Amino acid sequence: MGIEIGAVMIPWYGLFIVLGIAAGALLGYFLIRANRMDYDDFIQTACFVGLGAMAGAKLLYLIVSWRSIDFSRITDPEYLNALMGGGFVFYGGLIGGLTGLYLCGKILHIPVTDYARAAIPVIPLVHAFGRIGCAFAGCCYGVPYDGPGAVAYTESIAAPTGVPLFPVQAVEAAGNLLITAVLCIYGEICRRKGRKAKSLQLYLVLYAVFRFALEFARYDDSERGILMGVSTSQWISIVICSVVIGMEILTCRKK
């Protein structure tokens, strides 16, 4: 599914990922310049984060969906290409991206914490474009729903066709754009007051809470992994909130 230009098919998901990366690079440019930091170092940091995110997103997808993988066909080039070409889990990408951030600091000796603090709004912005791509492709779909904004697919890579569904991908895209705006405003306020923004912590908590609630509107249980009635992403959301809030409490007590 995508745009056909002559004999070339451009998939919707890939198209919106490219658009998201372009939008993220543009936003990152303004954020880095506003904080008087080196844009070249930002690009190098972003490359490490991006590669880590891709690897982590694919790895977590393979872990949570291993039951649906036909291991007898794993040596089939066509099947292997389809398996590796599609299917990513955002939280795996987030964990992989943070790992890439750490490695970038160790290898290139860039103050990655400062760059993460300044440019964290780039992540939800790119993520928003990715969810728009999901909406067009029909993956990460919502529960059956016939209210306002319901979407029924006539063609989809994953969603059931002809069934009105809750537009969970569009809602998540809108939520990510809102988080982007909140982080940009928060970062600018802290910059003007000469304070060190806790942008990463704020982003992690905001998205974790939002994602936990949104998971109840998802219908692709076989792709997400369910444990004790709670999805993998919800468990990760709980862990992230607990760790971030716990660390902040400990920091306040030490002060």
Side-chain angles (χ1 to χ4, degrees), residues 37-149:
M37 302 172 76
D38 191 324
Y39 189 67
D40 290 338
D41 282 350
F42 165 72
I43 292 297
Q44 294 182 82
T45 303
C47 288
F48 270 81
V49 171
L51 290 173
M54 289 177 63
K58 171 53 69 175
L59 179 60
L60 187 55
Y61 170 77
L62 294 175
I63 291 172
V64 301
S65 61
W66 68 271
R67 288 187 180 88
S68 63
I69 298 174
D70 186 355
F71 289 98
S72 66
R73 298 179 57 196
I74 206 71
T75 56
D76 179 356
E78 185 176 344
Y79 179 78
L80 183 61
N81 182 62
L83 178 64
M84 300 307 294
F88 297 91
V89 177
F90 173 75
Y91 266 140
L94 181 61
I95 295 169
L98 291 175
T99 303
L101 185 72
Y102 172 79
L103 292 175
C104 180
K106 288 295 183 180
I107 296 172
L108 301 182
H109 306 291
I110 294 173
V112 292
T113 303
D114 294 335
Y115 282 88
R117 183 183 298 115
I120 197 67
V122 169
I123 293 179
L125 178 62
V126 175
H127 193 188
F129 276 86
R131 283 307 184 207
I132 296 172
C134 288
F136 275 89
C139 60
C140 310
Y141 51 92
V143 295
Y145 161 84
D146 58 2

Side-chain angles (χ1 to χ4, degrees), residues 141-145 164-168 215-219:
Y141 51 92
V143 295
Y145 161 84
L165 303 172
F166 183 75
V168 66
E215 283 288 291
F216 290 110
R218 293 272 294 267
Y219 198 51

Side-chain angles (χ1 to χ4, degrees), residues 41 61 67-68 85 97 101 111 155 171 177 181 183 202-203 228 233:
D41 282 350
Y61 170 77
R67 288 187 180 88
S68 63
L101 185 72
E155 184 181 357
V171 172
L177 291 176
L183 291 173
L202 178 60
Y203 165 66
M228 295 190 297
S233 292

